[in-house]
Amino acid sequence: MIAAEVLAALLLLTAAIAVWLVVRLRRQSSVADARASEAERLRDELGRRADVLEAANRCVRALGSSLELDEAFDAFIREVRGLVDFDRIAIVLSEEGSAQVLAVAGVGAEQVLPPGSARPIKGTLLEEILRTGQPAYRTDMNEPGYPEEERFHALGLRSRFVTPLFRGARTIGMLSLVRREPNAFTDEEKELVGLLGRLVASAVQNIRAYEAERKTVDELRRLSTLRADFVSLVSHELRTPMASVIGSARTLQQRWRELTAEQRESFLQLIAAETDRLAALISDVLDTSRIDAGTFSFRFSDVDLAELVLESVAAVELASDEVGLRADVREPLPIVRGDRARLRQVLTNLLDNAVKYSPAGDAVEVFAYAEDGRVRVDVRDHGPGISEEDQRLIFEKFGRVTTGNARPGTGLGLFIARSIAEAHGGSLEVASAPEHGAVFTLQLPVQG
Ligand code: ADP
């Protein structure tokens, strides 16, 4: 009996153990299932992240694929498009207090803040990025925000995500993505753009350094061409008058008796005119080297500019047969403090040039007046004018326009004239358009 009871108890115990084992096993297998699916999820996530990283790396390689900015940026955009959606994308750098657009593509790329354009950095989102070193998300540009956004908004753009570009610990600029829909960037996309920003900074830096170097090399090459042109020009300009001086002197010496008094007079006049030309040329070259060396000196006194203008106009008019000069001086002009001889040199240079480039029978107009505490002298001609791109060149040392109907000259006059104007605290500028003549304006401060 006892044995039967023990047996039943044993059976019961065995059954309980079996049930416990089954339950435990089931539980373990569901934990294993959960672990397996978690592992699968992690593997997928890891794969996705690896893909994203690979795509981001492709973007960086694209940007580093060329040192030519346009090519590199085009390749970069193609890769970014496969990674994250945008309607406009830009790389903007901070340089000398302004926001310089290095590259931009998409909506309004050519109209609003196009590549190469710059705006003051003050108040812009870039200024904030530089300060915080953190990405910024403008969910809706409908809301008042940064001054540059008004124009983005007018293009129908609404949300803007911007991430800093770093060089070492320093923020050098930003990568900006813009979309038409408000609040259009997911957290994942923002993370991705942030990653791109961190990766592209050094490629951007390389392109920038290369561009700066190329600009310097181009500038040096241009200056050296100007100088070489100048050397051949000066030797030509020296040789021509010298040849006529020598020729005339010889003729006078050898044929003095045969020549009539008038002939002798005209040879002597030629010698005088050509030696004047030589002296002027040599004095320009000397002035230029003094300006370069910082030893160009001035003798300041009170100058009556009205008198000086009329005097210079009269002298140039005397030497000009085919072009007239008209002067309108709004007297009384305030007295200026300056070097009279040097100011006369500036005026004479402007008047000579205006006469030289005027069509025969035409007149050069000179207008002198006081305005906003300054005296202004405008010298206007109706000659061929100067194109926008040449207007910087002509004020440079040796700078001359050699295309079209170029006249003889060394390209030093305006360089010297502007240096003189600036040494007086004034300025010398030109306003002109091809075929519409030119107006050169000298401005001088009035004694305070
Ligand atoms: P230069 O006359 O000796 O060449 P300048 O420095 O006086 O030197 O002038 C530089 C250049 O500017 C000239 O070679 C010419 O191309 C241009 N220029 C100056 N004045 C005028 C003008 N009034 N109209 C058109 N071009 C001008």
Side-chain angles (χ1 to χ4, degrees):
M1 179 64 196
I2 288 181
E5 275 177 8
V6 169
L7 195 66
L10 269 177
L11 274 172
L12 222 76
L13 189 66
T14 317
I17 289 172
V19 168
W20 179 76
L21 276 174
V22 168
V23 168
R24 204 190 133 126
L25 265 173
R26 278 224 186 103
R27 200 177 292 149
Q28 275 185 348
S29 90
S30 84
V31 167
D33 281 354
R35 290 227 171 107
S37 69
E38 172 68 6
E40 224 162 87
R41 204 187 59 72
L42 280 177
R43 196 194 58 213
D44 287 353
E45 175 69 15
L46 219 61
R48 208 182 52 75
R49 294 221 157 203
D51 285 351
V52 164
L53 210 62
E54 172 54 26
N57 269 325
R58 275 204 306 277
C59 295
V60 181
R61 279 200 300 275
L63 198 58
S65 65
S66 165
L67 284 171
E68 294 297 330
L69 176 62
D70 291 347
E71 265 175 37
F73 192 61
D74 282 353
F76 173 68
I77 287 170
R78 274 197 298 279
E79 292 297 339
V80 177
R81 268 199 204 292
L83 201 59
V84 52
D85 221 13
F86 60 84
D87 292 304
R88 179 180 164 106
I89 184 168
I91 295 178
V92 186
L93 300 181
S94 143
E95 264 163 27
E96 291 160 9
S98 67
Q100 296 267 350
V101 181
L102 183 71
V104 55
V107 177
E110 292 305 319
Q111 297 87 48
V112 174
L113 295 175
S117 63
R119 59 163 300 146
I121 215 164
K122 209 163 164 38
T124 63
L125 183 52
L126 177 60
E127 188 185 43
E128 191 180 314
I129 299 274
L130 293 180
R131 199 183 58 241
T132 63
Q134 296 294 323
Y137 185 25
R138 291 278 298 139
T139 48
D140 193 349
M141 291 191 274
N142 246 354
E143 308 294 325
Y146 300 89
E148 70 273 19
E149 289 178 355
E150 219 168 87
R151 300 180 70 198
F152 293 153
H153 188 250
L155 290 169
L157 296 165
R158 297 285 289 274
S159 50
R160 180 181 188 211
F161 184 72
V162 170
T163 193
L165 303 176
F166 295 106
R167 185 174 65 182
R170 205 166 66 86
T171 311
I172 58 163
M174 66 185 193
L175 170 68
S176 157
L177 268 73
V178 190
R179 286 200 192 154
R180 287 183 202 277
E181 311 80 44
N183 204 2
F185 291 87
T186 63
D187 286 346
E188 212 167 277
E189 285 172 328
K190 285 189 277 182
E191 198 185 327
L192 194 62
V193 177
L195 176 69
L196 272 181
R198 282 194 294 281
L199 296 176
V200 300
S202 74
V204 168
Q205 194 63 36
N206 288 345
I207 292 179
R208 202 59 184 160
Y210 174 74
E211 281 205 322
E213 198 171 304
R214 196 172 54 181
K215 256 192 214 143
T216 316
V217 170
D218 284 354
E219 183 63 12
L220 286 177
R221 198 169 290 150
R222 201 179 65 82
L223 286 178
S224 119
T225 318
L226 276 181
R227 199 159 297 145
D229 287 354
F230 171 73
V231 170
S232 64
L233 198 88
V234 167
S235 41
H236 174 259
E237 291 278 312
L238 281 176
R239 221 176 285 134
T240 326
M242 210 106 90
S244 48
V245 170
I246 294 169
S248 310
R250 285 241 165 86
T251 314
L252 284 174
Q253 189 188 28
Q254 288 160 1
R255 300 172 44 207
W256 181 263
R257 283 175 207 287
E258 306 156 36
L259 294 173
T260 63
E262 275 130 48
Q263 283 170 322
R264 285 180 198 153
E265 182 59 27
S266 75
F267 275 117
L268 286 171
Q269 260 173 20
L270 187 71
I271 290 175
E274 295 297 292
T275 39
D276 278 354
R277 235 176 97 185
L278 279 171
L281 175 69
I282 290 162
S283 126
D284 273 2
V285 173
L286 281 178
D287 282 353
T288 303
S289 67
R290 284 193 193 117
I291 290 170
D292 280 349
T295 54
F296 198 61
S297 57
F298 294 93
R299 242 185 268 148
F300 279 66
S301 63
D302 287 350
V303 179
D304 179 347
L305 211 63
E307 183 195 71
L308 191 64
V309 167
L310 294 172
E311 196 180 292
S312 317
V313 166
V316 172
E317 192 166 30
L318 208 65
S320 147
D321 307 330
E322 293 175 334
V323 176
L325 281 103
R326 272 203 299 269
D328 176 359
V329 178
R330 293 283 152 91
E331 295 202 66
L333 282 187
I335 297 292
V336 297
R337 185 96 191 133
D339 183 322
R340 197 173 194 281
R342 292 299 185 193
L343 290 176
R344 184 171 171 158
Q345 181 180 350
V346 175
L347 292 171
T348 308
N349 180 245
L350 299 182
L351 296 169
D352 277 344
N353 279 348
V355 167
K356 191 157 80 171
Y357 287 94
S358 284
D362 208 30
V364 167
E365 290 146 0
V366 183
F367 185 32
Y369 53 103
E371 193 180 77
D372 302 332
R374 315 205 109 205
V375 181
R376 292 174 53 125
V377 184
D378 294 344
V379 177
R380 176 191 299 274
D381 67 64
H382 307 98
I386 302 140
S387 69
E388 186 96 29
E389 59 269 26
D390 286 330
Q391 287 175 17
R392 193 173 74 102
L393 168 83
I394 59 170
F395 289 103
E396 287 183 8
K397 214 186 317 173
F398 322 134
R400 307 174 62 235
V401 184
T402 45
T403 49
N405 44 357
R407 307 284 199 283
T410 54
L412 291 180
L414 289 175
F415 169 74
I416 298 169
R418 181 176 265 181
S419 305
I420 295 174
E422 287 173 354
H424 282 76
S427 65
L428 177 61
E429 300 293 340
V430 65
S432 177
E435 308 310 324
H436 286 90
V439 184
F440 283 84
T441 300
L442 168 70
Q443 282 201 49
L444 295 170
V446 170
Q447 233 177 317

